[in-house]
């Protein structure tokens, strides 16, 4: 596709519910990242995929958060038993290669509101 | 461990005035440094990046930044602000080195307001 696509753009859910957030990276990009941006803060790293595998999930805040990328393209971030503190904008980014100097291309994000 | 500090959560300038957005970093290894811009209701867009070549980096829309190792700084400047520059700006760092894979550590962001 032309860019990184994230769906839905907005999600309102009740406390305790399960949510899935989807990311379609740029075609051919092997690296995929999830970040979380709370109000008034910069994005914070959650997880990194190289191909199908999660190479670094050190940013996931707890075991309620899980992400998959089964075919090395689309990724889904899953949050169980949502809490009000999970409310944030969840950003997905992809890049064509790995390496610290590689530009990451970001989607517009999914704004999650837990009520 | 890496960290980024952006001095000033809000900066306001007049149209045509100099823009200066400050960024200081902390890194235990040589860093790569980035500036991203986020316009309202849009995703983050790369403005420019420093990757150990020239210390003065030119980016899109007339922005540039200078890497100063002695000051651990990577401040963003633009000689003359335009109304369309109003946005939130993020400084970010990633590690250089063979095991690095592009994980970014962001500052808290600076909202730039441009007055007519």
């Amino acid at each position: 596709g032309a860019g990184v696509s994230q769906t839905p753009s907005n999600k309102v859910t009740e406390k305790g519910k399960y949510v899935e957030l989807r990311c379609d990276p740029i075609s051919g990009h092997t690296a995929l990242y999830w970040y979380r941006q709370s109000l008034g803060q910069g994005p914070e790293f959650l997880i990194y995929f190289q191909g199908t595998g999660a190479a670094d999930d050190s940013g996931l805040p707890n075991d309620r958060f899980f992400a998959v990328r089964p075919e090395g393209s689309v990724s889904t971030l899953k949050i169980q038993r949502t809490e009000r503190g999970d409310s944030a904008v969840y950003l997905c980014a992809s890049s064509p290669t790995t390496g610290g100097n590689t530009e990451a291309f970001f989607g517009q994000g999914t704004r999650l509101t837990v009520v | 461990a890496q960290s980024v500090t952006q001095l000033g959560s809000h900066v306001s300038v007049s149209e045509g005035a100099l823009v200066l957005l400050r960024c200081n970093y902390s890194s235990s290894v040589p860093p790569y440094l980035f500036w991203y811009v986020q316009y309202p209701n849009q995703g983050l867009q790369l403005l420019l990046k420093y990757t150990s070549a020239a210390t003065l980096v030119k980016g899109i829309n007339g922005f540039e930044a200078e890497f100063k190792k002695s000051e651990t700084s990577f401040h963003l400047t633009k000689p003359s602000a335009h109304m369309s520059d109003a946005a939130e700006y993020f400084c970010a760092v990633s590690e250089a080195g063979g095991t690095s894979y592009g994980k970014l550590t962001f500052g808290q962001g600076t909202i730039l307001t441009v007055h007519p």
Side-chain angles (χ1 to χ4, degrees), chain A residues 15-28:
Chain A
K15 179 176 176 295
K17 298 290 188 182
Y18 167 83
V19 295
E20 290 189 351
L21 311 179
R22 177 187 169 105
C23 172
D24 276 274
I26 294 172
S27 178

Side-chain angles (χ1 to χ4, degrees), chain A residues 48-114:
Chain A
Y48 157 66
F49 287 90
Q50 177 56 35
T52 59
D56 182 355
D57 64 357
S58 62
L60 294 178
N62 51 60
D63 61 6
R64 295 186 298 105
F65 288 75
F66 189 72
V68 296
R69 193 186 186 199
E71 298 179 357
S73 179
V74 171
S75 176
T76 304
L77 179 66
K78 308 180 181 192
I79 310 174
Q80 298 177 320
R81 305 184 303 279
T82 52
E83 300 178 357
R84 291 195 179 88
D86 298 334
S87 297
V89 176
Y90 289 82
L91 298 171
C92 177
S94 69
S95 62
T97 62
T98 56
N101 61 347
T102 302
E103 176 183 355
F105 295 82
F106 284 81
Q108 294 187 353
T110 293
R111 182 176 300 277
L112 176 66
T113 303
V114 182

Side-chain angles (χ1 to χ4, degrees), chain A residues 6-56:
Chain A
Q6 292 187 247
T7 54
S9 55
N10 282 281
K11 176 71 177 177
V12 180
T13 191
E14 293 181 347
K15 179 176 176 295
K17 298 290 188 182
Y18 167 83
V19 295
E20 290 189 351
L21 311 179
R22 177 187 169 105
C23 172
D24 276 274
I26 294 172
S27 178
H29 282 195
T30 57
L32 186 145
Y33 313 81
W34 284 97
Y35 291 84
R36 179 169 71 173
Q37 186 175 13
S38 300
L39 192 62
Q41 302 295 319
E44 294 179 312
F45 170 79
L46 295 177
I47 187 169
Y48 157 66
F49 287 90
Q50 177 56 35
T52 59
D56 182 355

